[in-house]
């Protein structure tokens, strides 16, 4: 099939070869652009391939999300989740293989993980637990459009299970739970005046000095839960103030992002910030709860055993928190270095893709 | 004459009545809009009125500046300077008289001063010193377009004299000299990182805390020169920093405006700032030298005596500094409260307009 894309004609596969090499499958997924909001073509391809090549699965479509599951009557069910969308392409398409490394937009975040899921969906015909696979849209943009949220509202039974595995990049190790995040604006106010008569005013930018001093003096917590270490963070991410080159500023706004370990709720995190910045005006602009690692669940222990390694705490926020909020233990487990996500030079060692397949096959076969 | 302006037809005087009431003359000047760059109509009117009503003056035109002078062979010459332009109109046109106060765009900055100059130009036929009057354009915008600068380049002999009086608003008292101004950018740098792994980065906004601390701790000088007090200032006027809501910022830029007494050169002011902000990256973005009060010149003493009051130091920067740079003692003396300049509620007590005329007539008759 030939389609016009960005003014060029390029070949797009009619189908994906789900049972063949998961590295080739990753490359094929990368080569179908799917920037958030524009996932229809890739969702069509995923749906068609699953219906054709995995007749043992029940497949449904919800918007640009594709859901598939076994119905084997097993005592336990494991839910896999992977988003189909990517951040905007940045001169890093199509995919390019150099030796043992695959380069391109989405190789890390997270078409490598999608390929692992699709390969297992097609090839694990008799898994020891029932399996659900959720390929969803719009993860990289505002939370209100997140496809997993839509599935949660419209098809809630599709998210139920004893363990959720979000195949976001985790360098091929189990990253358990996730930290919460809260952003606040700290505001100082003053009084405008001409700088030629500066003493008639009150400088709001100068007043912010004390807030920055407290930030620098702040000691972040390091928390251990279920053997996983969570290291909190408190960082100024933006500062603005100023009226004109000859005016004493009457307002300065500092945005602070606090990452907090999952033993604290967003309300507790806010209370902590109000303590740190006592005496200053503080407004919460957004937050997301963290997720406890949940590694005490037997099925989670089986997964950890299959990896043969030690789980670590997830520091970034991911959709595992949605599962945690539903009472489902959830971990991140996928190929790729998460620090390369959203960068132009995204790339994944192909051994991590096949390594993740091997671990999960060992866990589920 | 009727002209269309802002979609309305309004009456514009064919001429100005220079010898009549200087308060009415101020109102007439205010009612001809002359936002910087758009002074042609007002300059035409000033030129025509001077040619018709002050035949004792030599009049020349330079762009939208109008120059007039006596040539009486006096031993001393006094130069008056007033800009014709205003900041943008802000719902404060036409002029409006309420009791003893005249309201409107330019009443303070500085059509009141222009009216004083025009009235004296027309009525002082036998002044004790030769007089030069410079009505110029584009004072309120970038220095490169300043009409007084153009006159200095093209007609330098028109600025020569033993004293320059810039009729900028000074509340009707002699404001001598002016403070210098210098703006610098202080920059802190760091290293970007995801806030979920903040310790891998280095926060440039946090690093700015020390700069703000020094600003707050800084004690400004108060300097007395020729009996005038100059109070310096050091104020942050702008701060920016931040990449995204989840990224440790790698740069923060603080703009600082320093107003310095005229006993210091811009180079000395810069050296002082480099001392205050030692250890930080500092770039000078613009500066203007101050002007010493120059009140020891005999003709300046005559003016001060005519006012019957005590001169004060000018804290803001004005075009007196241009005359000072030419070696000509220069003062500000004009009607209106300078702190109302550039505000929507600009207004001048009419007694200050007539008071300035009286003082200058006493000085020059």
């Amino acid at each position: 099939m030939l389609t016009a894309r960005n003014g060029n004609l390029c070949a797009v596969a009619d189908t994906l070869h789900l049972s063949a090499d998961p590295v080739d499958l990753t490359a094929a997924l990368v080569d179908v652009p799917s920037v958030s909001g524009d996932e229809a073509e890739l969702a069509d391809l995923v749906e068609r391939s699953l219906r054709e090549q995995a007749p043992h699965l029940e497949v449904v479509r919800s918007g640009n999300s594709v859901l598939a599951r076994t119905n084997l009557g097993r005592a336990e069910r494991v839910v896999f989740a992977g988003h189909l969308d990517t951040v905007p392409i940045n001169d890093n398409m199509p995919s390019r293989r150099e030796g043992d490394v695959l380069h391109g937009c989405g190789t890390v975040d997270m078409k490598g993980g999608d390929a692992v899921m699709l390969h297992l969906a097609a090839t694990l015909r008799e898994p020891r637990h029932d399996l659900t696979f959720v390929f969803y849209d719009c993860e990289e943009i505002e939370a209100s459009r997140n496809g997993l949220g839509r599935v949660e509202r419209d098809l809630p039974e599709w998210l139920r299970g004893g363990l959720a595995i979000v195949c976001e990049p985790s360098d091929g190790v189990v990253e358990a739970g996730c930290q919460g995040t809260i952003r606040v604006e700290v505001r100082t106010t003053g009084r405008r005046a001409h700088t030629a008569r500066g003493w008639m005013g009150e400088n709001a930018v100068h007043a912010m000095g004390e807030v920055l001093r407290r930030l620098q003096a702040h000691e972040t917590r390091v928390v251990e839960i279920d053997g996983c270490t969570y290291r909190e963070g408190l960082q100024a991410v933006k500062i603005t103030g100023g009226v004109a080159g000859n005016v004493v500023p009457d307002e300065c706004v500092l945005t602070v992002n606090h990452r907090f370990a999952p033993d604290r709720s967003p309300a507790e995190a806010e209370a902590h910030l109000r303590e740190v910045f006592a005496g200053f005006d503080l407004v919460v602009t957004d937050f997301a709860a963290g997720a406890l690692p949940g590694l005490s669940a037997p099925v989670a222990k089986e997964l950890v055993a299959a990896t043969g390694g030690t789980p670590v705490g997830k520091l970034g926020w991911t959709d595992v928190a949605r599962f945690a909020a539903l009472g489902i233990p959830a971990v991140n487990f996928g190929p790729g270095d998460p620090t390369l996500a959203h960068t132009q030079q995204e790339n994944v060692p192909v051994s991590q893709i096949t390594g993740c397949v091997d671990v999960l096959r060992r866990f589920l076969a």
Side-chain angles (χ1 to χ4, degrees), chain A:
Chain A
M1 186 165 74
L2 287 174
T3 56
R5 184 181 303 142
N6 298 329
N8 298 318
L9 284 179
C10 52
V12 173
D14 277 317
T15 193
L16 300 163
H17 302 292
L18 304 185
S19 305
D21 181 5
V23 177
D24 291 343
L25 182 54
T26 302
L29 291 171
V30 168
D31 291 344
V32 182
S34 58
V35 176
S36 308
D38 205 15
E39 303 93 337
E41 185 178 350
L42 183 58
D44 288 348
L45 191 58
V46 166
E47 181 186 2
R48 191 165 59 240
S49 304
L50 283 169
R51 288 191 191 280
E52 286 170 3
Q53 300 168 46
H56 63 294
L57 297 177
E58 176 192 1
V59 177
V60 306
R61 175 79 175 246
S62 162
N64 283 332
S65 294
V66 181
L67 298 80
R69 66 180 170 193
T70 62
N71 292 301
L72 301 167
R74 302 284 195 255
E76 197 61 277
R77 178 176 290 278
V78 176
V79 183
F80 287 88
H83 62 83
L84 294 174
D85 59 321
T86 68
V87 293
I89 294 161
N90 185 10
D91 209 15
N92 50 5
M93 280 274 286
S95 63
R96 176 173 51 86
R97 178 143 175 190
E98 280 181 11
D100 291 334
V101 177
L102 185 67
H103 297 260
C105 181
T107 47
V108 167
D109 190 10
M110 55 170 284
K111 291 182 174 177
D114 293 329
V116 169
M117 287 166 59
L118 282 167
H119 184 76
L120 293 172
T123 57
L124 278 175
R125 305 259 165 150
E126 292 287 336
R128 61 195 291 197
H129 304 302
D130 265 313
L131 303 179
T132 302
F133 298 91
V134 181
F135 301 92
Y136 61 105
D137 56 316
C138 292
E139 192 267 354
E140 297 290 7
I141 51 175
E142 58 270 31
S144 61
R145 293 179 62 187
N146 186 302
L148 198 59
R150 195 181 57 247
V151 171
E152 187 183 334
R153 284 188 302 275
D154 298 348
L155 302 162
E157 74 282 6
W158 279 82
L159 300 190
R160 266 183 223 131
L163 174 69
I165 302 177
V166 177
C167 293
E168 289 269 5
S170 69
D171 253 335
V173 303
V174 170
E175 289 188 336
C178 77
Q179 295 206 123
T181 177
I182 181 170
R183 248 176 295 271
V184 298
E185 284 180 358
V186 182
R187 193 173 310 262
T188 53
T189 52
R191 200 170 54 247
R192 288 190 196 186
H194 197 290
T195 50
R197 293 175 189 79
W199 69 89
M200 293 176 70
E202 200 186 321
N203 197 310
V205 174
H206 295 191
M208 197 56 89
E210 169 62 14
V211 178
L212 297 182
R213 193 196 61 72
R214 292 190 198 174
L215 270 173
Q216 254 182 330
H218 184 263
E219 301 213 355
T220 50
R221 292 193 313 152
V222 178
V223 181
E224 192 146 328
I225 308 170
D226 280 1
C228 299
T229 301
Y230 297 91
R231 185 167 172 179
E232 297 192 333
L234 186 64
Q235 296 282 344
V237 291
K238 187 179 178 191
I239 189 166
T240 54
V243 177
N246 58 0
V247 175
V248 175
D250 58 347
E251 185 177 82
C252 185
V253 180
L254 181 78
T255 308
V256 176
N257 184 206
H258 178 38
R259 301 292 177 134
F260 53 96
D263 64 333
R264 275 190 179 166
S265 68
E268 287 167 329
E270 179 185 341
H272 175 63
L273 294 181
R274 291 200 180 278
E275 205 172 283
V276 171
F277 300 121
F280 289 91
D281 179 43
L282 184 152
V283 173
V284 176
T285 56
D286 69 314
F287 65 88
L292 286 165
L295 292 178
S296 50
V299 64
K301 285 183 180 167
E302 285 175 29
L303 171 65
V304 171
T307 67
T310 311
V312 300
K314 178 73 174 176
L315 303 179
W317 191 93
T318 77
D319 272 323
V320 296
R322 289 181 189 273
F323 289 101
L326 295 172
I328 303 168
V331 300
N332 293 281
F333 180 71
D337 175 354
T339 66
L340 289 178
H342 303 194
T343 67
Q344 188 181 25
Q345 63 271 27
E346 257 188 276
N347 69 78
V348 62
V350 299
S351 62
Q352 285 203 3
I353 299 172
T354 51
C356 284
V357 168
D358 293 345
V359 164
L360 292 171
R361 189 179 298 283
R362 197 151 56 230
F363 165 45
L364 295 167

